[in-house]
C-alpha cells in the first residue's frame, strides 16, 4: 500500500514588506522567507475510500473541508485523475495562527507526498501552482530553503541560505488574525521599510550579523499598544540574551531571535519558557528537494 511520511518545516520571515493592496483583495508582498527545523510530521497513505485527516497535538473544527483535502482535490484535478481514498496523519508541533506558516507547511508536505506517490515527474513549479490555490505561503513551503517571495508570496527567487545559527521562537498567548492585520495596514503610515536588498546582500556574503541587523516586519507597525508591548518585551529578552537580532514572524505573534552561539540560545529559551510555554529552539533548514 502506498504510504509516505515527510517533515513539514515551519518558516520565519527574515524581512516582510507590503507594497500595496491589489484589485483581487490580496496584497503585493516582498519578503525573505527561511525554512526552520521546527516542523510537523505528515504521513499520506492510500486508503479504502474517501478522505480522512487524523491529527495529534491539535483538534480540528468538525464538518469543514480541510486545506489538506482541498490540496489533494486540486492535485488530482491537475493530473486529470480521480482522487483515490486517502488518509493523512499530522503530528503537530508548530503552533497554529502563530505567523510560522504551520498550516501551509502541512499542506505543502501533503502535496510533496502526493507527488512522490502518484506523479514523481510532476515539476516542482506545478506543485507550487497547485499550492497557491490553497494558500499564499504554500508555494514557499513546497520549495523550502531561503527565498525572496513576491506577488502574493508565490513569485519565488532562491537566495543563499541563512548561515548556520540557532533560532529561538517564542509565541505569546494571544492571536493575531491575518486578514485583520492586513486590513490594519491599508492606509496606515508604515514609516521606514525593511531593507530587503540589504538582507539579500547579507545572505550573499554569508554574513549572519549583517542579516540579523536588517530583520524587519511591517506588521509590527500596526499592532495595538498592548500587542506591541508584549512583542517588544520578548524581543528585548532575546537581545538581552545576546541574540544578534529579533523580529516578529509573518502576521505574528511569534517572535524569533538569531544566535551565533547555541548555548546562548539555550539560555534565552530557558529564560523565556517560564513565561511563554510555546518557546522553541530551531535551526535554518536548507532547500527541501535535497531532503526527499
Ligand atoms: O492566501 P491565504 O488564504 O493564506 O491568505 C489569508 C488572508 O490573508 C487573505 O484572505 C487575505 O486577507 C490576506 N492576504 C493578503 N495578501 C497576501 C496574502 C494574504 O491580503 N499576499
Amino acid at each position: 500500500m502506498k504510504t509516505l511520511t515527510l517533515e513539514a518545516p515551519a518558516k520565519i520571515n527574515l524581512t516582510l514588506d507590503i507594497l500595496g493592496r491589489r484589485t483581487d483583495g490580496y496584497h503585493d508582498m516582498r519578503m525573505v522567507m527561511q525554512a526552520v527545523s521546527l516542523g510537523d510530521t505528515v504521513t499520506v497513505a492510500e486508503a479504502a475510500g474517501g478522505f480522512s485527516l487524523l491529527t495529534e497535538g491539535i483538534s480540528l473544527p468538525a464538518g469543514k473541508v480541510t486545506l489538506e483535502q482541498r490540496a489533494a482535490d486540486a492535485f488530482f484535478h491537475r493530473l486529470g485523475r480521480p482522487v483515490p481514498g486517502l488518509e493523512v496523519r499530522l503530528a503537530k508541533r508548530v503552533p497554529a495562527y502563530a505567523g510560522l506558516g504551520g498550516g501551509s507547511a502541512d499542506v505543502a508536505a501533503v502535496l510533496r507526498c502526493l507527488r512522490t506517490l502518484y506523479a514523481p515527474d510532476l515539476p516542482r513549479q506545478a506543485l507550487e501552482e497547485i499550492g497557491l490555490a490553497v494558500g499564499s505561503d504554500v508555494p514557499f513551503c513546497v520549495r523550502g530553503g531561503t527565498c525572496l517571495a513576491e506577488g502574493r508570496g508565490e513569485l519565488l527567487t532562491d537566495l543563499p541560505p541563512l548561515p548556520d545559527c540557532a533560532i529561538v521562537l517564542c509565541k505569546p498567548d494571544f492571536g493575531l488574525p491575518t486578514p485583520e492585520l492586513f486590513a490594519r495596514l491599508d492606509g496606515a503610515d508604515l514609516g521606514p521599510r525593511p531593507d530587503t536588498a540589504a538582507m539579500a546582500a547579507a545572505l550573499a556574503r554569508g554574513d549572519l550579523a549583517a542579516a540579523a541587523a536588517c530583520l524587519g516586519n511591517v506588521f509590527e507597525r500596526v499592532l495595538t499598544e498592548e500587542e506591541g508591548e508584549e512583542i517588544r518585551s520578548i524581543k528585548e529578552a532575546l537581545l538581552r540574551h545576546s541574540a544578534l537580532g529579533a523580529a516578529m514572524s509573518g502576521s505574528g505573534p511569534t517572535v524569533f531571535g538569531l544566535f551565533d552561539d547555541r548555548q546562548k540560545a539555550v539560555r534565552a529559551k530557558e529564560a523565556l519558557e517560564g513565561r511563554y510555554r510555546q518557546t522553541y529552539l530551531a535551526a535554518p533548514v536548507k532547500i527541501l528537494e535535497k531532503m526527499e
Side-chain angles (χ1 to χ4, degrees):
M1 183 136 94
K2 288 180 187 233
T3 177
L4 181 63
T5 298
L6 288 177
E7 296 305 308
K11 59 84 184 165
I12 55 174
N13 295 87
L14 300 178
T15 60
L16 191 160
D17 196 7
I18 293 181
L19 307 184
R21 194 162 191 276
R22 308 164 20 145
T23 49
D24 62 5
Y26 287 92
H27 291 75
D28 272 322
M29 318 288 293
R30 183 181 291 144
M31 46 195 180
V32 176
M33 304 177 86
Q34 172 66 54
V36 296
S37 59
L38 173 68
D40 299 333
T41 305
V42 176
T43 301
V44 175
E46 197 166 291
F51 185 95
S52 58
L53 180 62
L54 310 173
T55 55
E56 294 162 30
I58 190 175
S59 51
L60 292 168
K64 272 200 177 170
V65 176
T66 60
L67 295 182
E68 286 76 5
Q69 184 169 0
R70 281 179 48 198
D73 289 347
F75 178 86
F76 286 101
H77 181 76
R78 173 82 173 227
L79 297 188
R81 305 219 300 247
V83 189
L86 292 170
E87 182 183 277
V88 174
R89 282 193 299 276
L90 292 184
K92 285 296 287 181
R93 284 176 290 271
V94 181
Y97 308 109
L100 297 174
S104 303
D106 296 342
V107 167
V110 168
L111 290 173
R112 287 161 46 225
C113 284
L114 291 174
R115 178 176 56 166
T116 303
L117 294 174
Y118 294 97
D121 295 334
L122 190 72
R124 185 185 65 190
Q125 180 63 33
L127 211 61
E128 291 176 8
E129 285 165 20
I130 298 166
L132 181 63
V134 184
S136 304
D137 284 344
V138 178
F140 170 75
C141 292
V142 165
R143 189 176 303 200
T146 313
C147 284
L148 172 67
E150 297 172 289
R152 270 176 62 195
E154 83 286 18
L155 303 174
L156 299 172
T157 309
D158 289 324
L159 291 176
L162 184 66
D164 276 340
C165 62
I167 305 169
V168 174
L169 304 126
C170 176
K171 181 190 171 293
D173 282 333
F174 58 89
L176 289 174
T178 303
E180 188 192 315
L181 271 207
F182 272 107
R184 286 190 208 168
L185 281 163
D186 296 329
D189 175 12
L190 297 176
R193 300 304 185 80
D195 192 340
T196 317
M199 176 61 75
L203 295 174
R205 294 195 308 274
D207 186 339
L208 179 64
C214 50
L215 299 175
N217 181 344
V218 288
F219 279 125
E220 289 183 38
R221 315 260 164 77
V222 293
L223 300 177
T224 64
E225 213 171 292
E226 210 177 325
E227 293 160 353
E229 232 163 69
E230 188 136 25
I231 298 303
R232 266 193 304 281
S233 96
I234 299 172
K235 282 166 80 167
E236 281 163 17
L238 290 164
L239 295 171
R240 262 200 316 280
H241 283 85
S242 307
L244 299 174
M248 191 171 84
S249 183
S251 57
T254 304
V255 177
F256 66 92
L258 304 182
F259 294 80
D260 59 4
D261 178 314
R262 196 170 182 281
Q263 278 320 307
K264 287 178 185 159
V266 168
R267 281 196 289 275
K269 174 178 176 280
E270 285 169 356
L272 280 161
E273 67 193 350
R275 171 136 189 241
Y276 300 104
R277 207 172 29 90
Q278 292 173 299
T279 302
Y280 311 87
L281 186 59
V285 169
K286 296 200 171 51
I287 195 141
L288 292 174
E289 289 296 287
K290 298 187 184 110
M291 291 169 64
E292 287 174 17

Tab-separated table of all heavy atoms in Angstrom, residues 13-17 32 162 193-203 205 207-218 220-221 244-248 256 258:
chain	number	residue	atom	x	y	z
A	13	ASN	N	9.929	34.811	8.676
A	13	ASN	CA	10.177	35.891	7.722
A	13	ASN	C	11.368	36.698	8.216
A	13	ASN	O	11.274	37.342	9.267
A	13	ASN	CB	8.955	36.807	7.616
A	13	ASN	CG	7.771	36.075	7.036
A	13	ASN	OD1	7.016	35.446	7.768
A	13	ASN	ND2	7.638	36.124	5.730
A	14	LEU	N	12.469	36.645	7.469
A	14	LEU	CA	13.626	37.461	7.847
A	14	LEU	C	13.306	38.930	7.583
A	14	LEU	O	13.690	39.810	8.347
A	14	LEU	CB	14.869	37.020	7.078
A	14	LEU	CG	15.294	35.556	7.299
A	14	LEU	CD1	16.513	35.220	6.439
A	14	LEU	CD2	15.584	35.268	8.766
A	15	THR	N	12.612	39.187	6.471
A	15	THR	CA	12.017	40.511	6.240
A	15	THR	C	10.600	40.301	5.736
A	15	THR	O	10.297	39.266	5.124
A	15	THR	CB	12.777	41.342	5.172
A	15	THR	OG1	12.745	40.621	3.935
A	15	THR	CG2	14.218	41.607	5.569
A	16	LEU	N	9.737	41.266	6.004
A	16	LEU	CA	8.373	41.225	5.462
A	16	LEU	C	7.947	42.648	5.168
A	16	LEU	O	7.851	43.475	6.079
A	16	LEU	CB	7.410	40.565	6.457
A	16	LEU	CG	6.011	40.221	5.925
A	16	LEU	CD1	5.343	39.160	6.793
A	16	LEU	CD2	5.108	41.440	5.805
A	17	ASP	N	7.752	42.931	3.875
A	17	ASP	CA	7.301	44.256	3.461
A	17	ASP	C	6.059	44.088	2.601
A	17	ASP	O	5.901	43.063	1.923
A	17	ASP	CB	8.417	44.961	2.670
A	17	ASP	CG	8.174	46.456	2.547
A	17	ASP	OD1	7.219	46.965	3.190
A	17	ASP	OD2	8.926	47.111	1.814
A	32	VAL	N	11.614	38.015	2.649
A	32	VAL	CA	12.637	36.967	2.624
A	32	VAL	C	12.203	35.908	3.629
A	32	VAL	O	12.014	36.198	4.820
A	32	VAL	CB	14.039	37.522	2.964
A	32	VAL	CG1	15.053	36.380	3.025
A	32	VAL	CG2	14.460	38.551	1.916
A	162	LEU	N	20.492	31.251	4.918
A	162	LEU	CA	20.910	31.912	6.152
A	162	LEU	C	22.056	31.098	6.729
A	162	LEU	O	21.950	29.871	6.826
A	162	LEU	CB	19.726	31.930	7.126
A	162	LEU	CG	19.921	32.656	8.452
A	162	LEU	CD1	20.096	34.162	8.235
A	162	LEU	CD2	18.735	32.400	9.388
A	193	ARG	N	10.845	51.186	5.760
A	193	ARG	CA	10.557	49.791	5.407
A	193	ARG	C	11.760	48.894	5.674
A	193	ARG	O	12.900	49.358	5.636
A	193	ARG	CB	10.211	49.701	3.920
A	193	ARG	CG	9.008	50.517	3.515
A	193	ARG	CD	7.817	50.115	4.362
A	193	ARG	NE	6.601	50.761	3.949
A	193	ARG	CZ	5.843	50.368	2.918
A	193	ARG	NH1	6.180	49.341	2.188
A	193	ARG	NH2	4.747	51.019	2.617
A	194	PRO	N	11.497	47.601	5.895
A	194	PRO	CA	12.612	46.651	5.988
A	194	PRO	C	13.445	46.727	4.706
A	194	PRO	O	12.896	46.908	3.617
A	194	PRO	CB	11.923	45.290	6.092
A	194	PRO	CG	10.513	45.564	6.455
A	194	PRO	CD	10.186	46.947	5.995
A	195	ASP	N	14.758	46.583	4.837
A	195	ASP	CA	15.657	46.708	3.685
A	195	ASP	C	15.911	45.325	3.078
A	195	ASP	O	16.867	44.633	3.440
A	195	ASP	CB	16.965	47.378	4.142
A	195	ASP	CG	17.816	47.813	2.954
A	195	ASP	OD1	17.601	47.283	1.840
A	195	ASP	OD2	18.692	48.676	3.153
A	196	THR	N	15.009	44.954	2.145
A	196	THR	CA	15.080	43.618	1.543
A	196	THR	C	16.395	43.417	0.797
A	196	THR	O	17.000	42.341	0.857
A	196	THR	CB	13.905	43.418	0.548
A	196	THR	OG1	12.718	43.938	1.154
A	196	THR	CG2	13.705	41.964	0.199
A	197	ALA	N	16.843	44.473	0.087
A	197	ALA	CA	18.081	44.355	-0.699
A	197	ALA	C	19.267	44.133	0.225
A	197	ALA	O	20.168	43.326	-0.070
A	197	ALA	CB	18.278	45.608	-1.554
A	198	ALA	N	19.293	44.840	1.374
A	198	ALA	CA	20.407	44.662	2.322
A	198	ALA	C	20.381	43.245	2.880
A	198	ALA	O	21.436	42.637	3.094
A	198	ALA	CB	20.298	45.681	3.454
A	199	MET	N	19.188	42.693	3.123
A	199	MET	CA	19.095	41.310	3.612
A	199	MET	C	19.660	40.352	2.560
A	199	MET	O	20.454	39.452	2.883
A	199	MET	CB	17.633	40.963	3.929
A	199	MET	CG	17.404	39.530	4.360
A	199	MET	SD	18.308	39.090	5.872
A	199	MET	CE	17.331	39.926	7.123
A	200	ALA	N	19.251	40.539	1.287
A	200	ALA	CA	19.744	39.648	0.230
A	200	ALA	C	21.264	39.752	0.119
A	200	ALA	O	21.961	38.739	-0.062
A	200	ALA	CB	19.065	39.993	-1.103
A	201	ALA	N	21.796	40.975	0.266
A	201	ALA	CA	23.251	41.170	0.172
A	201	ALA	C	23.957	40.487	1.348
A	201	ALA	O	25.006	39.861	1.179
A	201	ALA	CB	23.581	42.666	0.136
A	202	ALA	N	23.378	40.587	2.551
A	202	ALA	CA	23.978	39.938	3.726
A	202	ALA	C	24.002	38.420	3.535
A	202	ALA	O	24.998	37.757	3.858
A	202	ALA	CB	23.194	40.307	4.990
A	203	LEU	N	22.921	37.873	2.976
A	203	LEU	CA	22.879	36.421	2.728
A	203	LEU	C	23.930	36.035	1.683
A	203	LEU	O	24.603	35.011	1.820
A	203	LEU	CB	21.475	35.994	2.277
A	203	LEU	CG	20.362	36.159	3.324
A	203	LEU	CD1	18.994	35.850	2.701
A	203	LEU	CD2	20.596	35.267	4.542
A	205	ARG	N	26.726	37.397	1.188
A	205	ARG	CA	28.062	37.411	1.818
A	205	ARG	C	28.191	36.354	2.905
A	205	ARG	O	29.260	36.189	3.484
A	205	ARG	CB	28.337	38.776	2.469
A	205	ARG	CG	28.447	39.949	1.517
A	205	ARG	CD	29.075	41.162	2.218
A	205	ARG	NE	28.422	41.518	3.468
A	205	ARG	CZ	27.357	42.309	3.573
A	205	ARG	NH1	26.805	42.809	2.478
A	205	ARG	NH2	26.832	42.600	4.753
A	207	ASP	N	26.861	36.597	5.816
A	207	ASP	CA	27.153	37.418	7.000
A	207	ASP	C	25.945	37.393	7.944
A	207	ASP	O	24.978	38.154	7.776
A	207	ASP	CB	27.463	38.841	6.511
A	207	ASP	CG	27.920	39.750	7.640
A	207	ASP	OD1	27.641	39.444	8.822
A	207	ASP	OD2	28.548	40.783	7.327
A	208	LEU	N	26.012	36.516	8.954
A	208	LEU	CA	24.872	36.344	9.869
A	208	LEU	C	24.580	37.626	10.646
A	208	LEU	O	23.416	38.010	10.798
A	208	LEU	CB	25.159	35.188	10.836
A	208	LEU	CG	24.072	34.906	11.880
A	208	LEU	CD1	22.773	34.456	11.217
A	208	LEU	CD2	24.548	33.867	12.891
A	209	ALA	N	25.638	38.291	11.130
A	209	ALA	CA	25.425	39.505	11.945
A	209	ALA	C	24.725	40.576	11.108
A	209	ALA	O	23.807	41.258	11.590
A	209	ALA	CB	26.750	40.015	12.482
A	210	ALA	N	25.137	40.728	9.838
A	210	ALA	CA	24.507	41.738	8.983
A	210	ALA	C	23.055	41.360	8.685
A	210	ALA	O	22.167	42.212	8.668
A	210	ALA	CB	25.296	41.894	7.683
A	211	ALA	N	22.799	40.058	8.476
A	211	ALA	CA	21.411	39.612	8.235
A	211	ALA	C	20.564	39.911	9.474
A	211	ALA	O	19.445	40.428	9.364
A	211	ALA	CB	21.377	38.122	7.897
A	212	ALA	N	21.125	39.618	10.657
A	212	ALA	CA	20.369	39.834	11.896
A	212	ALA	C	20.087	41.320	12.112
A	212	ALA	O	19.074	41.688	12.696
A	212	ALA	CB	21.138	39.261	13.080
A	213	ALA	N	21.000	42.174	11.604
A	213	ALA	CA	20.829	43.621	11.793
A	213	ALA	C	19.726	44.171	10.891
A	213	ALA	O	19.225	45.271	11.127
A	213	ALA	CB	22.144	44.337	11.517
A	214	CYS	N	19.348	43.462	9.833
A	214	CYS	CA	18.280	44.027	8.982
A	214	CYS	C	17.006	43.183	8.990
A	214	CYS	O	16.215	43.260	8.051
A	214	CYS	CB	18.774	44.402	7.583
A	214	CYS	SG	19.689	43.185	6.711
A	215	LEU	N	16.765	42.426	10.044
A	215	LEU	CA	15.464	41.784	10.209
A	215	LEU	C	14.403	42.880	10.304
A	215	LEU	O	14.655	43.919	10.910
A	215	LEU	CB	15.428	40.964	11.512
A	215	LEU	CG	16.421	39.808	11.660
A	215	LEU	CD1	16.316	39.214	13.059
A	215	LEU	CD2	16.168	38.740	10.601
A	216	GLY	N	13.225	42.658	9.744
A	216	GLY	CA	12.179	43.682	9.868
A	216	GLY	C	10.852	43.185	9.329
A	216	GLY	O	10.812	42.371	8.401
A	217	ASN	N	9.762	43.676	9.926
A	217	ASN	CA	8.422	43.188	9.565
A	217	ASN	C	7.436	44.348	9.710
A	217	ASN	O	7.232	44.854	10.816
A	217	ASN	CB	8.061	42.042	10.519
A	217	ASN	CG	6.709	41.440	10.230
A	217	ASN	OD1	5.898	42.025	9.532
A	217	ASN	ND2	6.474	40.261	10.769
A	218	VAL	N	6.824	44.771	8.603
A	218	VAL	CA	5.905	45.926	8.682
A	218	VAL	C	4.672	45.638	9.538
A	218	VAL	O	4.036	46.577	10.032
A	218	VAL	CB	5.417	46.427	7.296
A	218	VAL	CG1	6.529	47.125	6.540
A	218	VAL	CG2	4.808	45.322	6.468
A	220	GLU	N	4.659	44.693	12.414
A	220	GLU	CA	4.931	45.185	13.780
A	220	GLU	C	4.475	46.639	13.940
A	220	GLU	O	4.293	47.120	15.051
A	220	GLU	CB	6.427	45.072	14.112
A	220	GLU	CG	6.887	43.642	14.303
A	220	GLU	CD	8.351	43.561	14.702
A	220	GLU	OE1	8.829	44.403	15.485
A	220	GLU	OE2	9.040	42.641	14.207
A	221	ARG	N	4.297	47.356	12.801
A	221	ARG	CA	3.917	48.773	12.875
A	221	ARG	C	2.428	48.967	13.080
A	221	ARG	O	1.980	50.087	13.295
A	221	ARG	CB	4.312	49.497	11.574
A	221	ARG	CG	5.693	49.183	11.089
A	221	ARG	CD	6.691	50.285	11.470
A	221	ARG	NE	8.053	49.800	11.329
A	221	ARG	CZ	8.689	49.661	10.173
A	221	ARG	NH1	8.094	50.007	9.052
A	221	ARG	NH2	9.915	49.202	10.139
A	244	LEU	N	21.535	38.168	18.003
A	244	LEU	CA	22.127	39.176	17.105
A	244	LEU	C	21.047	40.098	16.548
A	244	LEU	O	21.327	41.203	16.107
A	244	LEU	CB	22.851	38.479	15.954
A	244	LEU	CG	24.013	37.566	16.354
A	244	LEU	CD1	24.542	36.821	15.141
A	244	LEU	CD2	25.126	38.388	17.006
A	245	GLY	N	19.808	39.609	16.540
A	245	GLY	CA	18.679	40.403	16.064
A	245	GLY	C	17.412	39.641	16.368
A	245	GLY	O	17.456	38.428	16.604
A	246	ALA	N	16.258	40.339	16.369
A	246	ALA	CA	14.991	39.682	16.673
A	246	ALA	C	13.876	40.406	15.929
A	246	ALA	O	13.959	41.617	15.688
A	246	ALA	CB	14.724	39.702	18.172
A	247	ALA	N	12.843	39.671	15.546
A	247	ALA	CA	11.707	40.282	14.847
A	247	ALA	C	10.495	39.376	14.996
A	247	ALA	O	10.614	38.202	15.368
A	247	ALA	CB	12.027	40.468	13.355
A	248	MET	N	9.316	39.931	14.679
A	248	MET	CA	8.104	39.113	14.627
A	248	MET	C	8.095	38.381	13.284
A	248	MET	O	8.588	38.895	12.285
A	248	MET	CB	6.871	40.011	14.760
A	248	MET	CG	5.574	39.254	14.979
A	248	MET	SD	4.211	40.373	15.395
A	248	MET	CE	3.717	40.886	13.737
A	256	PHE	N	11.056	35.785	16.877
A	256	PHE	CA	12.232	34.914	16.836
A	256	PHE	C	13.505	35.751	17.002
A	256	PHE	O	13.532	36.931	16.687
A	256	PHE	CB	12.293	34.102	15.529
A	256	PHE	CG	12.513	34.962	14.305
A	256	PHE	CD1	13.794	35.219	13.837
A	256	PHE	CD2	11.438	35.528	13.648
A	256	PHE	CE1	14.000	36.020	12.716
A	256	PHE	CE2	11.632	36.342	12.536
A	256	PHE	CZ	12.912	36.585	12.071
A	258	LEU	N	17.918	35.416	16.371
A	258	LEU	CA	19.009	34.662	15.738
A	258	LEU	C	20.245	34.727	16.628
A	258	LEU	O	20.622	35.817	17.088
A	258	LEU	CB	19.356	35.259	14.359
A	258	LEU	CG	18.212	35.370	13.348
A	258	LEU	CD1	18.760	35.928	12.030
A	258	LEU	CD2	17.546	34.022	13.123
